[in-house]
Amino acid sequence: MNDIHVVILAAGQGTRMKSQLPKVLHPVGGVAMIERVLDVAASLSPATISLIVGHKSDLVRDALQHRSGLGFAIQEPQLGTAHALQQAEPLLKGRTGAVVLLSGDVPMLRSETLKALLEHHVSSRAAATVVTASVDRPYGYGRIVRQDGQLVRIVEERDASPVERQVREINSGIYAFELAPLFDALRGIASQNAQGEFYLTDLIGIYRGQNRVVETVTVRDSQEIRGINSRSELAEVNRVVRQTKNEELMAAGVTLVDPATTFVGPSVEVGADTVIHPGVVLEGQTKIGSACEIQPHVRIVDSTIGDRVAINSFCLLVGATVASGAAIGPFAHLRPDTIVGESARVGNFVELKKTTLGPGAKANHLSYLGDATIGANVNIGAGTITCNYDGTNKHTTIIEEGAFIGSDSQLIAPVRVGKGAFVAAGSSITEDVPAGALGIARGKQVNVEGWAKRKKTPTGGS
Ligand code: UD1
Ligand code: CA
């Protein structure tokens, strides 16, 4: 039985990011890059997963609290990648098998690649196997130096000769190592190089000197092993991740009018024949049905949308559920725990919070509906407000099926409007309105005859 142990290097400061946030916590496709690396690590079902943390290690550990079974080692100070891996020695004491080494800043790696790495590593009985790629712009990466086709050493950009800098094959920073000789060999690495660091890449030259088997596995698509060292690379990688997701959606029958300006998070699902216009952002655990139309500049987070729903321009939906056939916006705001029923309509400048709008109900203009349960086919007039907050507590409003709320009404909660009841426009409703009744609560109109003419006449005139 050959155990697999994953070690992830995540102690570096990420100086080039110029950030207060540790590099590995910066999001890629809406998810901290370290989470992506941990997901791909988990796909190997390893016996152990160890993280080497250092710079702002508290922040990294806190961010990963929801994950169980991780081992942590602190690298302080951070003296290079070989020194980082050495910190895993106590965590792997008495273990056997292979170590798969991942970098916290290489977030696009695919599990297929890791499986291919392990397969090759085991079948060739290598002491070390390096994942490499050929790239057009190798700048910044360690270069793969071969003799007669065999990997002999890896040289870092800053230590490379002009000829070595021409080499397009690069080190991904992803490796498999046989565990048994690893930690003894790491102790043989020195720091005589341009950065004065202990380079893990020097292990290859050392193993070659000991006549150990050193192998490579080359990925075809170099994008997946891209490392992130700067904000510019972060943006590039994010673009690639988005593009990949967008391609998947289009292949599944979703129309993206302009993929370049469409942001869809990794866990978002969209049904076929849905049309997504430019500037749309779909995040978190969002699920959108089929044949929907999402107009330009809509943001939807953690929401579930049925089929044939129209979301018009400039809407924000967070934690909402919208049933099939409904229409939302433009300029609507659906806040958490909002449920919009089948074929219901939410129009411009309407905000819903913790509110259920029944099937066929309409709130078309300028309303705030909070902590309310609104029945089927209710009509909410323009400017209706549920006054749900008394300064201390929130109270609920119930509007039963088929009721009609006249424009510019305030419903002072807790309050109930019965089935089929009417509320006259401009009312401040403080008491329940029985089913079928008319509730009217506003100042009585007084018409003062001839008032306008008298106002125009100058005072004191004849
Ligand atoms: C490293 C490799 C380079 C490879 C590249 C791929 C070395 C010497 N160089 O260079 O050959 O092409 O990755 O992306 O290994 N880290 C620590 N502790 C440290 C230093 C680094 O944990 O003391 C971690 C970093 O947080 C990061 C990873 O190791 O997650 C790589 O470090 P980084 O400084 O980014 O190395 P590169 O210069 O990119
Ligand atoms: Ca790097």
Side-chain angles (χ1 to χ4, degrees):
M1 160 104 184
N2 215 345
D3 276 341
I4 297 160
H5 305 278
V6 173
V7 177
I8 302 173
L9 301 190
Q13 185 180 352
T15 321
R16 288 164 279 178
M17 294 292 284
K18 303 214 167 70
S19 178
Q20 293 297 315
L21 190 69
K23 174 164 75 174
V24 294
L25 294 185
H26 280 263
V28 165
V31 182
M33 43 177 123
I34 189 72
E35 299 272 10
R36 289 178 168 265
V37 177
L38 283 164
D39 283 344
V40 75
S43 75
L44 293 174
S45 309
T48 65
I49 299 182
S50 309
L51 278 108
I52 313 301
V53 290
H55 180 74
K56 297 208 172 155
S57 58
D58 293 354
L59 291 182
V60 179
R61 288 181 78 141
D62 285 354
L64 297 177
Q65 250 171 10
H66 62 284
R67 293 196 179 243
S68 56
L70 300 178
F72 286 91
I74 307 252
Q75 181 201 19
E76 193 63 67
Q78 292 100 43
L79 302 178
T81 46
H83 179 251
L85 178 53
Q86 276 180 301
Q87 313 310 311
E89 188 169 11
L91 294 172
L92 296 176
K93 218 169 187 70
R95 301 283 191 165
T96 55
V99 171
V100 171
L101 186 78
L102 305 179
S103 239
D105 64 350
V106 180
M108 286 195 287
L109 190 69
R110 292 177 316 128
S111 56
E112 291 81 357
T113 302
L114 277 190
K115 284 175 188 139
L117 165 68
L118 265 173
E119 243 172 65
H120 187 84
H121 179 74
V122 170
S123 65
S124 60
R125 297 174 186 277
T129 307
V130 186
V131 176
T132 76
S134 282
V135 298
D136 292 336
R137 289 180 299 157
Y139 180 81
Y141 287 99
R143 305 298 205 284
I144 299 296
V145 181
R146 293 182 183 269
Q147 266 167 26
D148 306 323
Q150 289 289 300
L151 169 64
V152 287
R153 61 191 189 97
I154 299 173
V155 61
E156 292 303 296
E157 173 83 34
R158 294 218 241 169
D159 304 289
S161 68
V163 173
E164 286 166 337
R165 285 197 182 134
Q166 301 297 312
V167 173
R168 297 254 194 98
E169 191 182 7
I170 58 129
N171 168 27
S172 69
I174 314 292
Y175 319 79
F177 298 114
E178 190 191 342
L179 185 49
L182 181 62
F183 290 105
D184 279 338
L186 288 177
R187 276 184 273 277
I189 291 176
S191 59
Q192 271 95 29
N193 51 54
Q195 302 193 79
E197 286 187 358
F198 296 90
Y199 287 168
L200 178 57
T201 43
D202 286 355
L203 187 68
I204 301 304
I206 290 175
Y207 274 174
R208 287 293 305 209
Q210 296 172 349
N211 283 320
R212 292 186 192 273
V213 178
V214 174
E215 285 287 317
T216 58
V217 165
T218 305
V219 292
R220 247 183 294 136
D221 179 9
S222 63
Q223 294 288 17
E224 72 165 294
I225 51 94
R226 282 184 73 149
I228 295 175
N229 299 304
S230 64
R231 304 272 181 164
S232 160
E233 285 166 353
L234 179 66
E236 277 278 295
V237 168
N238 267 303
R239 189 185 58 75
V240 173
V241 167
R242 278 203 308 276
Q243 194 179 333
T244 308
K245 177 73 185 186
N246 288 348
E247 294 291 343
E248 271 171 36
L249 292 175
M250 290 188 284
V254 178
T255 293
L256 301 186
V257 174
D258 181 19
T261 60
T262 306
F263 292 61
V264 183
S267 315
V268 173
E269 295 172 29
V270 184
D273 285 325
T274 285
V275 177
I276 299 180
H277 289 266
V280 169
V281 179
L282 307 176
E283 296 173 47
Q285 305 300 316
T286 290
K287 227 179 139 179
I288 295 180
S290 51
C292 293
E293 177 136 10
I294 318 289
Q295 290 275 339
H297 306 293
V298 165
R299 177 167 175 240
I300 304 178
V301 186
D302 294 332
S303 296
T304 304
I305 314 290
D307 301 328
R308 302 175 313 283
V309 171
I311 315 261
N312 295 298
S313 288
F314 303 108
C315 289
L316 171 61
L317 284 72
V318 181
T321 304
V322 178
S324 295
I328 311 292
F331 297 102
H333 185 185
L334 307 191
R335 292 168 51 200
D337 301 319
T338 289
I339 300 172
V340 175
E342 203 163 313
S343 303
R345 177 86 180 83
V346 176
N348 10 212
F349 305 106
V350 174
E351 174 183 350
L352 274 74
K353 186 219 78 175
K354 219 174 178 181
T355 284
T356 299
L357 191 64
K362 290 181 193 145
N364 272 332
H365 332 266
L366 300 163
S367 279
Y368 171 63
L369 303 169
D371 303 297
T373 305
I374 299 169
N377 302 315
V378 164
N379 188 84
I380 304 285
T384 298
I385 290 170
T386 55
C387 306
N388 59 331
Y389 186 49
D390 61 12
T392 315
N393 296 306
K394 298 278 170 69
H395 302 283
T396 55
T397 299
I398 296 168
I399 304 172
E400 292 177 357
E401 189 179 332
F404 181 98
I405 311 298
S407 295
D408 194 30
S409 294
Q410 298 97 54
L411 302 165
I412 300 172
V415 75
R416 174 190 293 263
V417 176
K419 191 169 168 180
F422 280 70
V423 166
S427 292
S428 292
I429 298 295
T430 54
E431 283 163 37
D432 291 357
V433 181
L438 166 70
I440 177 160
R442 64 186 182 211
K444 213 173 159 64
Q445 182 169 339
V446 177
N447 291 337
V448 182
E449 291 294 340
W451 186 85
K453 196 165 179 235
R454 268 181 276 141
K455 181 173 178 265
K456 276 193 203 127
T457 314
T459 44
S462 53

